[in-house]
Amino acid sequence: MRHFFTFLVLGILTLLSSCRDDFEFESSTGGLEFSKQTVYLDTVFTNIGSSTYTLKVYNRSDKDIKIPTVQLSQGNNSKYRITVDGMMGEDNDGNGIGDGKIFKNVELLANDSLFIFIETTIDYSEFNGPNSQYLYTDKIEFSNISSAPQTVDLVTLVKDAVFIKPNRTLPANIKEKLILNGEASDIIGHELSTPEELNWTSSKPYVVYGYALVPNGKTLNIAQGTKVHFHADSGLIVDDTGTLNIDGNASTYNPDGTVAIDNEVVFESDRLEYDFSEVPGQWGTVLLFSGNNNTINHLTIKNAAVGIFIQRIKETTTPKLKITNSQIYNCSNNGILARTATIEGENLVINNCGNSSLSCSLGGNYSFKHCTIANYWSRPNQTCLTLDNDGAAINARFDNCIIYGSTNYSLALKKVSGFNFDYLFNHCMIKFFDFGQFQNDPLYPIANTANYPGCLIAKTSSTNKPVFKNPSKNQFIIGSTSDAVAKGDVLTIPVPKDILGKDRPTATPPDLGAYNSITF
């Protein structure tokens, strides 16, 4: 029986091998097709590896072919690396690992395709020039036996940058951890200490790994036009007696609407690819413990977990912030999360946050004028504004604001006994589609008019509409047909210009929200 089984296995193997046709490959004579003729590797920072990009190569013919050589035009000197269908290419430095530069006799079956994966890491210092960026190019060449090579262009913009990252203590290679309020923490980051580290300018972008700490007694000054890029799980912390001063300015524009001079300060992630330009939660937060007078003017925060998280680090400190002419978008949790804080906001726009765009919790003192507090997050469990006095008294006032989003209720108010709950919405547009749930609740505008003087309550989709230009693209300027036009209060202390620097009327009612209306 054992011999019979052995002969049976051998017979099956012989039968299978006799049915197989050997592949016969012909050398390529051209005619390859590509998914892209140019591969743009989005902007990279000096000495930081890029993401991986994909090129697909098609053999549309009915012949199995062998491409004599697939290589980068600059050969071993190229700053790019490629893999071809999982192969690493020729080993040119003798380390036993392919260098991702040159590939010989690449086989491609008839009517089939192969993948090429492309990466780069470039040291900006190798290039000479007066600018802080450099356009680096190369080609992938596909050689043929009877014609010139076919090529695909590779293009990358390389930027010089200032890197802020935790120090490492050798030989243990332990990363630097922060000291907060005089006590050791488990937060990995770097304490800013030198004049250069505490004065950020627009000459180069900044790339932050871990948390950059403004220590007690120090001030971080960020000048107009500065761009800051945070790595995953990174951000900025201002300690108990530290101070943050962001002094951006309004950008100027060409007649065609393009930016002529970019004066805005921008905080965003270090993923510069187009596909990541609007993805929430790519980095951590700006965490303010400071009781000093922190100021922010003309700042755009994008794609954080929490745009600004402001809370006390000890019971004797009330963190303080004045924020003006600023925008916060695409936060996976909150745009601003404030706990027992003091905030003054003017011409502030917040949108697209997974929880609430603005959360004023655990009490505190808050004043917002001409702000657009929106939330068009794609899921239905978010709101625009939350207020609560759960732990301390709250005093909150909103003047000439628009509070409007994609869900029925743009407000979530929570009053706890034992602490004062003082709030006022003066001449605001508020979305509140109530179907009977809140008709007798004294906190909300259906049953309460005393706390909502002059307000426009949008009770249905056809009444009191803001007419935003394009909320899905974070464009919250209002149209000339908006119900918010000329519905504001002429304030005792007005906000004389809108977020774009255009004059507001001071003797007649201004438009609600952060923007003056336009026709579109």
Side-chain angles (χ1 to χ4, degrees):
M1 185 67 182
R2 183 179 62 186
H3 294 295
F4 173 77
F5 179 75
T6 301
F7 284 120
L8 178 63
V9 172
L10 291 174
I12 292 173
L13 293 175
T14 302
L15 180 63
L16 290 174
S17 63
S18 66
C19 294
R20 177 183 176 273
D21 290 329
D22 289 333
F23 295 119
E24 296 183 0
F25 291 91
E26 300 182 5
S27 293
S28 172
T29 58
L32 297 173
E33 296 182 17
F34 310 103
S35 59
K36 303 173 185 176
Q37 197 56 53
T38 302
V39 179
Y40 295 97
L41 285 77
D42 289 297
T43 305
V44 297
F45 295 112
T46 180
N47 287 316
I48 301 298
S50 71
S51 297
T52 302
Y53 294 78
T54 302
L55 174 70
K56 201 168 184 180
V57 183
Y58 300 93
N59 174 17
R60 305 291 192 190
S61 74
D62 58 0
K63 297 179 180 180
D64 301 329
I65 63 171
K66 184 179 293 184
I67 307 171
T69 304
V70 176
Q71 68 176 14
L72 293 160
S73 291
Q74 298 183 35
N76 294 325
N77 294 322
S78 178
K79 305 300 180 183
Y80 293 103
R81 303 178 299 277
I82 60 176
T83 60
V84 179
D85 260 8
M87 298 181 293
M88 296 297 295
E90 301 284 308
D91 174 19
N92 295 291
D93 56 11
N95 66 356
I97 302 174
D99 298 325
K101 311 292 185 180
I102 301 172
F103 300 75
K104 297 291 188 181
N105 298 319
V106 177
E107 298 174 351
L108 182 53
L109 298 177
N111 297 301
D112 203 354
S113 61
L114 60 81
F115 284 95
I116 296 180
F117 298 106
I118 308 157
E119 298 176 331
T120 188
T121 304
I122 302 174
D123 183 354
Y124 178 84
S125 65
E126 296 181 11
F127 308 104
N128 295 319
N131 300 319
S132 60
Q133 59 187 34
Y134 180 87
L135 193 66
Y136 182 74
T137 63
D138 201 350
K139 298 177 185 290
I140 303 176
E141 294 182 350
F142 302 82
S143 64
N144 304 298
I145 61 170
S146 60
S147 61
Q150 292 181 263
T151 62
V152 172
D153 293 317
L154 305 178
V155 180
T156 305
L157 182 65
V158 189
K159 284 189 175 183
D160 197 6
V162 177
F163 290 90
I164 297 175
K165 52 188 177 181
N167 297 322
R168 296 175 183 268
T169 303
L170 299 176
N173 205 29
I174 299 173
K175 290 184 179 179
E176 176 185 6
K177 292 185 178 180
L178 301 181
I179 305 295
L180 296 175
N181 192 34
E183 298 182 2
S185 77
D186 289 328
I187 300 174
I188 294 174
H190 177 68
E191 180 178 305
L192 307 175
S193 57
T194 66
E196 292 78 12
E197 291 180 334
L198 290 165
N199 290 278
W200 296 2
T201 69
S202 61
S203 60
K204 296 180 183 179
Y206 290 77
V207 182
V208 180
Y209 287 81
Y211 278 82
L213 173 65
V214 184
N216 285 333
K218 300 292 186 180
T219 298
L220 172 61
N221 295 297
I222 302 180
Q224 65 182 26
T226 302
K227 311 304 177 191
V228 184
H229 301 268
F230 296 96
H231 194 62
D233 300 319
S234 299
L236 177 66
I237 298 176
V238 183
D239 208 349
D240 179 32
T241 63
T243 304
L244 175 64
N245 176 32
I246 298 178
D247 190 20
N249 210 334
S251 296
T252 59
Y253 296 87
N254 297 311
D256 62 358
T258 57
V259 176
I261 302 176
D262 188 358
N263 290 322
E264 302 284 333
V265 176
V266 178
F267 286 4
E268 61 183 326
S269 100
D270 62 348
R271 297 295 301 267
L272 303 183
E273 307 95 309
Y274 176 80
D275 289 344
F276 285 83
S277 62
E278 303 296 332
V279 176
Q282 296 181 55
W283 56 282
T285 186
V286 176
L287 179 53
L288 297 178
F289 293 126
S290 171
N292 291 341
N293 293 320
N294 302 287
T295 58
I296 293 175
N297 187 38
H298 284 289
L299 168 67
T300 295
I301 294 178
K302 294 176 56 180
N303 307 334
V306 176
I308 297 174
F309 188 3
I310 176 168
Q311 68 168 8
R312 60 176 63 180
I313 194 170
K314 59 184 181 181
E315 293 299 321
T316 58
T317 300
T318 299
K320 298 177 182 178
L321 169 66
K322 181 174 183 179
I323 181 168
T324 54
N325 306 307
S326 294
Q327 306 166 79
I328 302 174
Y329 300 129
N330 309 334
C331 296
S332 55
N333 291 299
N334 302 88
I336 294 179
L337 176 56
R339 293 176 175 169
T340 325
T342 295
I343 301 179
E344 180 182 349
E346 296 176 355
N347 289 337
L348 173 66
V349 183
I350 312 176
N351 179 51
N352 202 32
C353 301
N355 193 339
S356 58
S357 290
L358 172 61
S359 176
C360 302
S361 63
L362 308 183
N365 295 282
Y366 307 97
S367 173
F368 293 91
K369 297 177 182 179
H370 282 288
C371 295
T372 300
I373 304 168
N375 201 348
Y376 285 81
W377 188 260
S378 58
R379 293 187 291 275
N381 58 344
Q382 83 286 350
T383 190
C384 300
L385 170 64
T386 61
L387 299 176
D388 75 68
N389 65 337
D390 192 0
I394 192 169
N395 189 316
R397 178 172 177 136
F398 298 82
D399 292 286
N400 296 348
C401 295
I402 298 176
I403 305 169
Y404 202 102
S406 56
T407 56
N408 289 336
Y409 306 107
S410 61
L411 297 178
L413 310 180
K414 179 183 178 182
K415 181 179 180 180
V416 177
S417 61
F419 302 100
N420 288 337
F421 191 85
D422 296 325
Y423 66 101
L424 182 72
F425 294 89
N426 173 42
H427 286 74
C428 296
M429 176 181 283
I430 301 171
K431 183 178 180 181
F432 206 81
F433 293 4
D434 184 50
F435 302 99
Q437 182 179 356
F438 296 98
Q439 62 182 355
N440 297 316
D441 192 319
L443 294 179
Y444 292 99
I446 304 302
N448 178 352
T449 58
N451 291 80
Y452 300 86
C455 285
L456 304 175
I457 308 302
K459 299 179 181 179
T460 69
S461 59
S462 60
T463 60
N464 295 323
K465 297 184 293 184
V467 191
F468 294 129
K469 185 174 183 180
N470 194 336
S472 65
K473 294 185 178 180
N474 294 318
Q475 296 175 0
F476 286 94
I477 196 166
I478 59 174
S480 57
T481 61
S482 171
D483 293 320
V485 173
K487 297 297 173 51
D489 187 14
V490 179
L491 300 175
T492 303
I493 304 177
V495 181
K497 295 181 182 295
D498 78 349
I499 191 172
L500 298 177
K502 297 179 180 178
D503 290 333
R504 282 195 176 97
T506 56
T508 58
D511 299 341
L512 302 181
Y515 295 92
N516 288 342
S517 60
I518 64 170
T519 300
F520 53 75

